[in-house]
């Protein structure tokens, strides 16, 4: 019998469930006040060389402030999971080849570089075509399954995609025979990120979170991550959480930091709150074409501001947010 | 009524989506096709988006596969894994995929062009959910422009599976049996796949397009299904709905 094929790509994280248990054993269980600034959260919980996961779907429910702060604090040599990473990937790539060292070192690619219908990011292309970042190929579902395996406390889970393709050959997946049916499956290694950041609608100061709309892979990412930074549109009282616990989708003991960041997904979309700022995202894509112009843009918008509130001011402040809220609620269509 | 090639492609795609079936779509032309189908022959078509939107009543064209339009007045807003696993269970009939390159077996490249894998000339996004949907959905549609740059004899990278190397290859690799590429809709013609060889073949030519023209724009040998038909142009009703309800800002249909 010929051996089953294996992907030749590198594995950027440790899939061992036992090693992960050792890390989870150290996490505090008792609820305590985790409210802090984004700057403090990133400074305390994101270390150089960490494996980072970002919640949401690229430009939807994105923890933008955390991405900015990682860039602003000059974090180096991060590993990253790119499952439809669009504007988040753009922000992180701004830490490569802009004279500030190398923010991204290794990337698990499922969807990177592109911004869906908006086109490709010129700077993300610059970074990914430069040979300075190591990468490994996956699919969106494969990364979702890898997070799910970790959330379950397992070393792997099987799935049925990727088989037979170059995507598989450049991944670290391994084909296996099902022990019950003999059917060929793709074994996907669990992905336990060192740190993850997720933006939610509401959280209390202990970290109990509510999300409205699609959850993408975030409920698994939250449970898979060894450290978790939550940014929320609104901080709410714990009594409100306890009045309707069915709405809690991430429990407090998964969470290490809670940061209240209104309009925190900007320029991304936040369901039921505000639509994406397509003009601003287009601006990023335009300035990225010329590296010097891009550096100037970053100096003004990221390095020259002290926090995300100042960035929002630069981008049109409350008036702009009001317009995006109208777009989200379809009021601009006369509803 | 006059129409442009994009309107024809969307109308063609919409007619292939049978009522009561389910489709996983992205943004752009496929989403327009699904919306048109719902408003014409297939009101009970179930539309899903991979980020978690299930059976929305799309108010406008989404910009992102995960934006809030994809679950507007939806039956459910769920997770990516839930939607993909619905596909993996065999519950999703159709999907639409795109790519920079397609070969005669319907394999797609959306990962890189030229150079080497580690240092490509052009790095593209990669699979996203395309490989998963191509592995799981029963019938795979591709809507694309027709030229030799796209229709190539050999892909630079095989991102998402068509029929791989030919008959039986998908099943041998371990992919679920019985599904695979079904139609390629271009600005020149509609292609299908030969039942036995799994190679791409022309099913219908768009009005005014010759077989030679299609072959001249294809980088591999293209078969013909007899009798070769002429694509039905979009009807005035289809055009009206497409222009007034589905894409009033001409985001997609204005691309030609």
């Amino acid at each position: 019998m010929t051996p089953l094929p294996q992907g030749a790509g590198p594995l950027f994280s440790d899939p061992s469930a036992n090693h992960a248990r050792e890390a989870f054993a150290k996490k505090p269980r008792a609820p305590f006040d985790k409210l802090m600034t984004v700057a403090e959260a990133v400074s305390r919980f994101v270390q150089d060389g960490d494996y980072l996961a970002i919640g949401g779907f690229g430009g939807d429910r994105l923890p933008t402030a955390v991405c900015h702060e990682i860039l602003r604090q000059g974090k180096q040599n991060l590993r990253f999971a790119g499952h439809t990473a669009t504007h988040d990937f753009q922000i992180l790539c701004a830490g490569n080849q802009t004279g500030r060292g190398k923010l991204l070192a290794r990337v698990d690619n499922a969807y990177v570089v592109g911004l869906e219908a908006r086109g490709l990011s010129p700077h993300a292309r610059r970074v990914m075509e430069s040979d300075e970042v190591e990468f490994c190929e996956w699919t969106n579902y494969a990364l979702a399954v890898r997070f799910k395996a970790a959330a379950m406390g397992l070393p792997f889970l099987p799935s049925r995609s990727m088989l037979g393709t170059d995507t598989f050959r450049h991944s670290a997946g391994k084909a296996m025979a099902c022990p019950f049916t003999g059917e060929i499956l793709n074994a996907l290694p669990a992905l336990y990120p060192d740190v993850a950041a997720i933006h939610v609608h509401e959280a209390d100061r202990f970290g109990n979170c509510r999300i409205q709309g699609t959850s993408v892979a975030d409920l698994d990412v939250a449970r898979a991550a060894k450290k978790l930074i939550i940014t929320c549109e609104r901080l709410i009282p714990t009594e409100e959480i306890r009045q309707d616990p069915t709405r809690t989708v991430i429990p407090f003991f998964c969470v290490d930091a809670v940061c209240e960041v209104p309009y925190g997904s900007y320029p991304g979309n936040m369901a039921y709150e505000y639509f994406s700022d397509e003009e601003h995202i287009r601006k990023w894509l335009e300035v990225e074409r010329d590296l010097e112009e891009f550096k100037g843009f970053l100096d003004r918008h990221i390095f020259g501001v002290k926090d995300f509130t100042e960035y929002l001011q630069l981008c049109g402040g409350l008036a702009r947010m009001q317009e995006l809220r109208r777009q989200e609620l379809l009021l601009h269509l006369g509803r | 009524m006059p129409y442009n090639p994009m309107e024809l492609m969307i109308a063609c795609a919409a007619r292939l989506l049978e009522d009561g079936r389910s489709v996983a779509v992205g943004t752009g032309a496929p989403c327009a096709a699904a919306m048109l189908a719902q408003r014409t022959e297939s009101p009970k078509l179930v539309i899903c988006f991979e980020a978690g939107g299930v059976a929305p009543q799309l108010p406008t064209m989404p910009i992102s596969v995960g934006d809030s339009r994809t679950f507007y007045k939806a039956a459910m807003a769920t997770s990516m894994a839930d939607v993909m696993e619905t596909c993996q269970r065999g519950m999703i009939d159709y999907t639409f995929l795109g790519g920079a390159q397609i070969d005669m077996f319907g394999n797609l490249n959306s990962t890189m062009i030229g150079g080497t894998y580690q240092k490509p000339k052009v790095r593209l996004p990669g699979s996203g959910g395309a490989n998963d949907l191509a592995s799981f959905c029963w019938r795979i549609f591709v809507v694309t422009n027709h030229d030799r740059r796209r229709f190539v004899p050999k892909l630079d990278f095989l991102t998402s599976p068509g029929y791989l190397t030919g008959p039986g290859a998908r099943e041998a690799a371990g992919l679920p049996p019985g599904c695979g590429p079904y139609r390629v809709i271009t600005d020149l013609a509609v292609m299908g796949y030969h039942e036995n060889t799994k190679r791409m073949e022309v099913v219908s030519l768009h009005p005014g397009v010759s077989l030679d023209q299609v072959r001249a724009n294809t980088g591999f040998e293209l078969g013909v299904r007899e009798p070769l038909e002429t694509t039905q142009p979009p009807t005035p009703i289809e055009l009206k709905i497409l222009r007034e309800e589905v894409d009033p800002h001409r985001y997609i249909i204005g691309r030609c």
Side-chain angles (χ1 to χ4, degrees):
Chain A
M1 198 179 139
T2 51
L4 291 169
Q6 301 190 352
L11 194 52
F12 295 144
S13 59
D14 179 0
S16 164
N18 284 343
H19 294 168
R21 280 177 64 89
E22 289 167 26
F24 289 125
K26 293 185 195 119
K27 257 183 112 95
R29 277 83 163 130
F32 63 95
D33 191 342
K34 295 161 189 167
L35 196 61
M36 64 184 80
T37 63
V38 173
E40 187 187 352
V42 169
S43 165
R44 282 177 59 186
F45 298 115
V46 183
Q47 312 302 327
D48 288 352
D50 269 358
Y51 196 109
L52 170 71
I54 295 290
F57 196 76
D60 309 306
R61 205 165 43 67
L62 178 65
T64 316
V66 173
C67 298
H68 282 192
E69 194 59 37
I70 287 170
L71 180 59
R72 197 180 293 119
Q73 291 189 16
K75 301 291 181 186
Q76 297 290 298
N77 295 313
L78 299 182
R79 292 163 286 153
F80 179 65
H83 62 122
T84 302
T86 64
H87 188 56
D88 45 351
F89 195 68
Q90 248 185 320
I91 299 167
L92 297 173
C93 278
N96 285 53
Q97 304 209 359
T98 50
R100 296 172 188 270
K102 187 163 96 173
L103 192 157
L104 288 174
R106 291 184 261 178
V107 180
D108 281 314
N109 297 329
Y111 185 103
V112 292
V113 175
L115 278 88
E116 301 190 69
R118 309 169 186 106
L120 303 179
S121 152
H123 187 69
R125 273 191 62 188
R126 209 174 274 137
V127 172
M128 293 298 278
E129 292 164 9
S130 72
D131 206 20
E132 78 166 17
V133 178
E134 254 189 288
F135 36 83
C136 186
E137 221 60 28
W138 303 93
T139 67
N140 275 358
Y141 180 54
L143 289 185
V145 169
R146 295 185 62 196
F147 287 128
K148 184 185 270 204
M152 291 170 76
L154 295 173
F156 85 98
L157 273 176
S159 83
R160 304 192 72 186
S161 67
M162 292 173 63
L163 296 161
T165 64
D166 289 338
T167 306
F168 175 80
R169 281 184 272 281
H170 287 276
S171 78
K174 295 183 181 200
M176 61 175 281
C178 169
F180 302 100
T181 65
E183 288 164 326
I184 298 172
L185 302 168
N186 180 17
L188 296 165
L191 205 176
Y192 293 94
D194 293 307
V195 59
I198 296 173
H199 187 62
V200 304
H201 289 78
E202 294 171 333
D204 70 6
R205 59 180 64 241
F206 305 119
N208 294 300
C209 298
R210 291 172 168 182
I211 291 172
Q212 289 173 269
T214 52
S215 54
V216 194
D218 293 358
L219 309 194
D220 289 323
V221 169
R223 288 153 177 81
K226 293 171 192 163
K227 287 164 286 174
L228 177 59
I229 300 170
I230 293 294
T231 61
C232 62
E233 286 291 318
R234 281 180 298 281
L235 195 68
I236 59 170
T238 295
E239 298 86 82
E240 200 176 327
I241 293 281
R242 290 185 180 275
Q243 267 166 17
D244 191 357
T246 52
R247 289 185 60 194
T248 305
V249 291
I250 299 170
F252 66 95
F253 50 75
C254 289
V255 177
D256 293 281
V258 177
C259 315
E260 191 180 23
V261 187
Y263 301 100
S265 177
Y266 178 89
N269 174 214
M270 189 69 179
Y272 312 106
E273 302 279 341
Y274 45 90
F275 201 63
S276 51
D277 189 344
E278 292 304 315
E279 283 174 37
H280 187 66
I281 294 172
R282 210 176 303 128
K283 174 95 180 157
W284 270 78
L285 292 171
E286 277 165 22
V287 298
E288 281 183 11
R289 282 188 211 145
D290 181 89
L291 189 54
E292 291 312 310
E293 197 183 333
F294 185 41
K295 285 185 194 169
F297 175 87
L298 293 173
D299 284 340
R300 283 190 303 281
H301 287 83
I302 310 279
F303 299 108
V305 301
K306 88 171 182 299
D307 60 19
F308 193 66
T309 309
E310 278 189 25
Y311 179 75
L312 292 177
Q313 289 300 334
L314 280 180
C315 297
L318 196 56
R320 186 66 187 147
M321 301 309 130
Q322 196 174 5
E323 167 57 28
L324 298 173
R325 179 178 298 276
R326 286 181 186 155
Q327 286 182 21
E328 173 62 18
L329 301 178
L330 300 168
L331 302 175
H332 66 304
L333 299 180
R335 293 192 191 202
Chain B
M1 197 185 280
Y3 56 87
N4 70 31
M6 184 57 88
E7 290 170 328
L8 174 61
M9 286 155 77
I10 293 169
C12 276
R15 289 174 199 153
L16 292 164
L17 304 174
E18 292 168 31
D19 199 21
R21 296 287 181 174
S22 54
V23 60
V25 295
T27 53
C31 184
M35 287 170 78
L36 178 61
Q38 268 191 338
R39 285 161 169 80
T40 50
E41 299 296 313
S42 306
K44 288 184 181 154
L45 180 71
V46 178
I47 299 179
C48 296
F49 290 88
E50 68 172 68
V54 175
Q57 293 173 359
L58 292 163
T60 59
M61 202 75 75
I63 291 169
S64 158
V65 173
D67 79 35
S68 51
R69 309 316 191 211
T70 65
F71 48 93
Y72 184 79
K73 292 189 178 174
M76 177 168 65
T78 183
S79 68
M80 185 151 66
D82 192 10
V83 170
M84 289 299 194
E85 284 151 12
T86 305
C87 299
Q88 190 166 247
R89 289 199 304 278
M91 287 284 290
I92 305 295
D93 298 299
Y94 314 121
T95 193
F96 285 92
L97 302 174
Q101 296 176 328
I102 184 167
D103 70 12
M104 71 168 89
F105 293 117
N107 301 303
L108 291 160
N109 173 18
S110 59
T111 301
M112 44 88 59
I113 302 280
T116 61
Y117 170 70
Q118 183 57 37
K119 198 174 188 313
K121 189 156 163 280
V122 183
R123 173 68 211 200
L124 300 167
S127 158
N131 177 298
D132 308 306
L133 297 170
S135 299
F136 300 150
C137 297
W138 291 104
R139 287 179 174 180
I140 302 158
F141 297 97
V142 171
V143 178
T144 183
N145 283 328
H146 205 137
D147 60 58
R148 294 184 83 93
R149 216 161 34 88
R150 283 169 212 271
F151 287 71
V152 296
K154 188 169 177 7
L155 304 177
D156 288 6
F157 192 99
L158 198 167
T159 309
S160 301
Y163 289 108
L164 298 174
T165 53
R170 285 175 67 98
E171 290 77 7
L175 295 175
C179 45
Y182 184 69
R183 288 288 186 273
V184 181
I185 300 154
T186 74
D187 49 340
L188 299 179
V190 177
M191 271 68 62
Y193 295 85
H194 189 274
E195 201 184 333
N196 299 323
T197 66
K198 303 297 182 195
R199 292 189 181 203
M200 201 187 291
E201 58 183 16
V202 186
V203 173
S204 76
L205 295 168
H206 294 345
V209 175
S210 72
L211 186 58
D212 285 346
Q213 204 179 335
V214 176
R215 284 187 164 145
N217 284 286
T218 306
F220 51 83
E221 198 188 323
L222 201 52
V224 173
R225 186 175 302 176
E226 298 294 348
L228 181 57
E229 304 199 354
T230 303
T231 312
Q232 289 297 315
T235 65
I237 291 170
E238 285 169 333
L239 288 171
K240 184 176 158 61
I241 294 170
L242 193 51
R243 291 168 187 175
E244 291 176 15
E245 292 177 35
V246 173
D247 190 17
H249 301 289
R250 304 184 59 79
Y251 292 132
I252 310 300
I253 60 178
R255 276 188 200 164
C256 279

